[in-house]
Amino acid sequence: MAAAPTLGQFEQLVLTAILTLRDTAYGVTIHAKVAQLSEPKAVSLGAVYVTLDRLEDKGLITSWRSDPTPERGGRAKRCYQLEAVGERALRESAVAIQRMHEALTEEFRSRRWKPARAR
């Protein structure tokens, strides 16, 4: 089995949002979840849409148009879901993040790490 593609941090956030939102994953809800996950850093809606397009081009997610709804003035939503390769890439990223967290925790605990002085 080929290795899953490496993900950037923002791609990880967007994929996490899609995974956790499940059937309610569309642009606005994904943006809200990414904003929540990345607080206090601001996230633009445009950045989310660009990333969604890139993730779809990579084959990590798929999208489709929902039926039009009266709440949206008769417009359809573009819904998103993780593909198996996207879930695998996200899982591999999470494992790497966990290893990094454990290494940093040990470093901080041992006090071998000394932060640089503020200038």
Side-chain angles (χ1 to χ4, degrees):
M1 179 181 294
T6 303
L7 301 173
Q9 184 180 20
F10 198 73
E11 290 174 326
Q12 293 169 357
L13 289 170
V14 171
L15 290 177
T16 300
I18 294 169
L19 179 69
T20 59
L21 289 167
R22 301 177 193 269
D23 294 338
T24 60
Y26 63 96
V28 173
T29 60
I30 293 168
H31 174 255
K33 187 66 167 182
V34 170
Q36 177 189 20
L37 293 169
S38 62
E39 281 184 8
K41 190 174 180 180
V43 175
S44 76
L45 185 58
V48 170
Y49 279 114
V50 166
T51 303
L52 288 168
D53 288 343
R54 184 172 60 249
L55 292 170
E56 191 163 21
D57 289 346
K58 289 180 176 183
L60 303 178
I61 62 173
T62 54
S63 69
W64 67 95
R65 294 255 182 222
S66 69
D67 292 331
T69 61
E71 299 84 26
R72 294 180 42 87
R75 295 186 344 253
K77 297 176 193 170
R78 180 167 292 280
C79 301
Y80 296 88
Q81 74 177 19
L82 239 57
E83 289 298 315
V85 68
E87 188 173 338
R88 190 168 73 243
L90 186 57
R91 189 179 306 274
E92 288 175 8
S93 290
V95 168
I97 290 166
Q98 181 64 38
R99 284 193 302 263
M100 185 174 73
H101 179 265
E102 289 168 2
L104 289 172
T105 300
E106 178 61 30
E107 214 35 49
F108 296 148
R109 190 175 294 128
S110 70
R111 301 198 184 265
R112 290 184 296 222
W113 179 77
K114 302 284 189 249
R117 287 188 194 202
R119 295 181 187 199

